[in-house]
Amino acid sequence: MDDLKLLEELRRDIPPISPAAARSARARLLAAARRQRPAVRRVGPRGGLFRVGWRVAVAAALGVVLTVGVTVTRDPGVDPEHPQQGRSPAVLPIGVANAAELGDRAAEATAARPDLNPRPHQWIYLETRRATRTSAELFAAVGAGRVTTRFWHRIDGKRFAYEYRGRLHQERNYQLSSVFPLRTFAYVRRLPADPQALLARLYATYSAGGERPYGRVRLSREEQHRAVFGLAADLLRDNLVPPGVQAAIYRALPRIPGVQLQRDAVDAAGRHGVAFARVHDGHVRAEIILDPQTYQYLGWRQIVVKDFVPNGTVNGKRVTLHVAPGTVFDWTARTAAAIVDRPGQRP
Amino acid sequence: MTTVSASNEQADVREPSDAEVVERSWDEPEAFAVLFDRYAADIHHYVARRLGTGAADDLVAETFLIAFGRRTIYDLRRSQARPWLYGIATTLVARHRRSERRLYRALARTGVDPLPEPVADQVVRRVAAQDQQRLLATALAGLSQADRDVLLLVAWGDLSYEEVAEAQQVPVGTVRSRLHRARRRVRDVLAAAGRSMTTEER
């Protein structure tokens, strides 16, 4: 009896690496390889599409907006395909058991980062890779197409610039706040760094007497949870958030009822991460995706998980739609972010 | 056990050697994926046999990321990267030594391998081979980490003594003595069980 021969048989039938695992591991390696190239310096985490909030015409469309946190987005800067810049190696943290633990770890990693202290006339630069929609309709699925968008918004929130077809466009009097308050850096910076206080503040936005127009609409508890999760996602995606506030957001997210850990989520640039996920009303899963090692913000996705028939009113017309499971209608990846001195400037 | 696997022989004939791939990756980082394509499946299987497929998924990814990070200090005289990669994977496995031992012990005590069953019809063969598997698992659980690493790099990783030495960064003599000790231990366990089985039958 040859002991080595016997041993060679032991567990020989263990299944081979699955195609998905192999793809994912290979993608991680390639992401690390790409990061070796002269990379865009990334300041801070955060982000995704900076949604210039051309949110559906206000209260009329509120039903729709709040149902899934979707906004009709005008594309301020659409750019030809751009090779994705560096990414994190992604080894999923084996030890993270639930969303609360993810929140804690992400908060610890984030709080250790240097604070952001931009001067009032500096600009936040965000570069986002975004899946393009297959049609202009509300809830249109995204396809295989990707665009890279670049935005600059001034720290004081008063100016805004974007790149379109290689040219820089600037907007003065950038004011959407009369309808939906812009989440300027000034707003973000003043948010509480204590998770419970932050959560209270976010919920207050959507309570009676809260921010317009929400304060005038009575929202159910479920609608409030959705809205708060969506607002937290917006803050991370559309801004650079100072580490203290960002850590508070990470700790606050798991305290929103229904928020769960999602072990493998993919952003619009194909990077794998871990996510805070919430299934809204049993129909749509929204994901805030983080790098599984550094916990930097990677991106955002909304996917329909069950037949979904939203209705709402758009431009005075009543709209009913049927959206099939698997439909992804909002998918982004932050590829660069920095504080710069001028609009158009990249790190 | 000399081991240049078929795919590597081919690689040497038609394709750049591992060392050449590593060197190219210095300027062209993405080229490193070639090594992944050559070895990921083997390394995964080796790790999965020790820790299960779930842990292996992570470990394989990590192995290649670490290897990638060290590509500039790779010794280009070593045309085969296999021992190097197995060495990294084995170091990572050691981090899980407690769970590895727990898995062997569970198999030894219950006869049921806690690692995922691949296909249904395996169950039949499993039962037949059970006793032997339990004994092997008992023996593996009782080995020191260093001895177990050497034994399994040979039995499951299919490395030669020289390659194990390279992977573990120890002299070949050390590999021989560790392997000798490990195998004697396995044989002792099998033999002791054989004696007691004969006794029972009688």
Side-chain angles (χ1 to χ4, degrees):
Chain A
M1 203 165 25
D2 182 342
D3 51 294
L4 270 184
K5 286 246 159 55
L6 284 177
L7 196 52
E8 279 166 21
E9 291 305 314
L10 182 65
R11 289 180 176 164
R12 173 166 248 174
D13 313 321
I14 284 276
I17 189 166
S18 70
R23 263 199 311 277
S24 146
R26 197 176 193 279
R28 294 174 193 179
L29 176 63
L30 282 175
R34 281 188 215 107
R35 208 167 43 155
Q36 292 299 310
R37 323 224 119 172
V40 169
R41 184 172 61 98
R42 290 182 304 144
V43 173
R46 253 63 319 58
L49 168 63
F50 180 70
R51 285 203 286 216
V52 195
W54 297 89
R55 310 201 176 211
V56 186
V58 209
L62 202 57
V64 171
V65 171
L66 294 177
T67 306
V68 284
V70 143
T71 56
V72 172
T73 305
R74 192 191 67 157
D75 254 352
V78 174
D79 203 59
E81 291 285 307
H82 219 80
Q84 175 217 336
Q85 298 289 346
R87 241 357 161 179
S88 318
V91 178
L92 298 179
I94 298 169
V96 175
N98 52 43
E101 239 179 84
L102 174 61
D104 285 342
R105 289 217 200 168
E108 281 160 25
T110 303
R113 300 205 177 101
D115 205 351
L116 300 173
N117 289 304
R119 295 183 302 277
H121 284 79
Q122 282 190 302
W123 297 67
I124 285 170
Y125 165 65
L126 299 175
E127 182 192 78
T128 301
R129 195 115 173 101
R130 192 169 64 76
T132 52
R133 297 153 64 97
T134 48
S135 84
E137 279 170 28
L138 216 54
F139 301 113
V142 301
R146 297 287 184 275
V147 292
T148 298
T149 52
R150 299 195 175 83
F151 306 87
W152 291 257
H153 57 110
R154 209 164 73 174
I155 296 300
D156 61 14
K158 288 181 180 157
R159 297 215 184 150
F160 171 72
Y162 58 89
E163 195 182 275
Y164 182 59
R165 293 191 177 157
R167 282 193 56 203
L168 187 69
H169 297 257
Q170 270 204 63
E171 305 220 12
R172 286 158 207 280
N173 302 321
Y174 171 53
Q175 292 295 342
L176 293 165
S177 52
S178 60
V179 178
F180 281 83
L182 174 70
R183 311 300 173 188
T184 61
F185 185 82
Y187 165 88
V188 171
R189 174 156 56 187
R190 280 196 300 267
L191 288 171
D194 170 68
Q196 208 52 46
L198 174 71
L199 210 52
R201 176 77 164 278
L202 300 186
Y203 272 95
T205 308
Y206 300 106
S207 308
E211 210 170 79
R212 282 191 310 157
Y214 312 110
R216 311 232 176 120
V217 185
R218 242 190 125 72
L219 300 184
S220 69
R221 292 304 291 172
E222 166 65 14
E223 283 168 333
Q224 289 188 343
H225 301 326
R226 270 181 236 163
V228 168
F229 187 85
L231 175 54
D234 283 7
L235 296 176
L236 292 169
R237 191 191 46 209
D238 299 344
N239 231 309
L240 276 178
V241 184
V245 174
Q246 197 184 340
I249 293 175
Y250 286 151
R251 287 193 208 272
L253 278 168
R255 302 184 193 186
I256 300 170
V259 171
Q260 295 188 325
L261 170 70
Q262 191 176 331
R263 288 195 168 276
D264 193 9
V266 184
D267 73 10
R271 299 173 301 197
H272 287 254
V274 286
F276 294 106
R278 186 172 195 280
V279 177
H280 297 330
D281 212 16
H283 296 290
V284 177
R285 189 174 67 230
E287 304 163 353
I288 297 172
I289 306 166
L290 310 184
D291 185 300
Q293 286 206 314
T294 64
Y295 302 105
Q296 297 232 352
Y297 178 86
L298 290 184
W300 160 255
R301 185 174 82 147
Q302 294 201 94
I303 180 168
V304 176
V305 292
K306 191 181 153 202
D307 280 304
F308 171 53
V309 187
N311 23 120
T313 314
V314 178
N315 297 335
K317 285 184 192 145
R318 185 122 186 107
V319 179
T320 302
L321 293 158
H322 181 268
V323 191
T327 305
V328 173
F329 51 77
D330 200 356
W331 202 7
T332 64
R334 162 156 311 167
T335 47
I339 290 167
V340 296
D341 292 326
R342 294 182 310 281
Q345 186 186 6
R346 290 198 237 153
Chain B
M1 196 178 292
T2 346
T3 48
V4 176
S5 71
S7 64
N8 291 332
E9 277 169 353
Q10 279 180 1
D12 281 337
V13 178
R14 298 199 317 252
E15 293 172 326
S17 72
D18 295 344
E20 286 163 346
V21 171
V22 172
E23 190 176 13
R24 183 151 68 93
S25 76
W26 292 355
D27 290 330
E28 201 186 317
E30 274 115 333
F32 204 83
V34 172
L35 290 188
F36 182 92
D37 297 337
R38 287 180 186 175
Y39 299 116
D42 283 353
I43 287 176
H44 186 274
H45 199 240
Y46 163 74
V47 175
R49 283 169 96 172
R50 299 188 66 169
L51 295 172
T53 50
D57 289 351
D58 284 335
L59 266 176
V60 165
E62 210 180 331
T63 297
F64 281 92
L65 288 169
I66 290 171
F68 176 74
R70 295 184 188 164
R71 71 195 184 287
T72 52
I73 53 169
Y74 183 84
D75 179 354
L76 294 176
R77 286 167 303 181
R78 297 181 296 179
S79 66
Q80 296 277 321
R82 223 168 106 81
W84 179 55
L85 294 168
Y86 272 88
I88 294 170
T90 301
T91 307
L92 294 175
V93 166
R95 280 195 209 154
H96 301 270
R97 66 171 76 86
R98 287 172 65 185
S99 89
E100 186 187 12
R101 222 179 277 139
R102 188 166 42 74
L103 293 167
Y104 293 133
R105 258 187 237 123
L107 170 57
R109 289 171 187 166
T110 65
V112 179
D113 199 334
L115 297 191
E117 277 298 320
V119 277
D121 70 359
Q122 295 295 347
V123 175
V124 182
R125 277 172 49 204
R126 280 285 153 111
V127 174
Q130 228 178 54
D131 286 338
Q132 240 160 36
Q133 294 192 344
R134 294 172 70 160
L135 294 172
L136 288 170
T138 307
L140 286 176
L143 296 178
S144 74
Q145 188 71 25
D147 290 358
R148 184 163 54 227
D149 284 345
V150 168
L151 179 64
L152 295 182
L153 280 170
V154 170
W156 293 353
D158 225 19
L159 298 192
S160 68
Y161 293 5
E162 290 72 20
E163 288 173 327
V164 174
E166 199 180 318
Q168 298 298 82
Q169 312 222 315
V170 295
V172 178
T174 307
V175 172
R176 282 185 206 285
S177 63
R178 283 180 187 172
L179 186 66
H180 179 74
R181 195 162 50 222
R183 291 187 63 180
R184 196 181 55 211
R185 163 89 189 156
V186 172
R187 279 196 297 263
D188 286 351
V189 171
L190 292 173
R195 276 196 300 278
S196 70
M197 291 223 326
T198 325
T199 318
E200 278 165 29
E201 277 163 23
R202 212 176 336 152

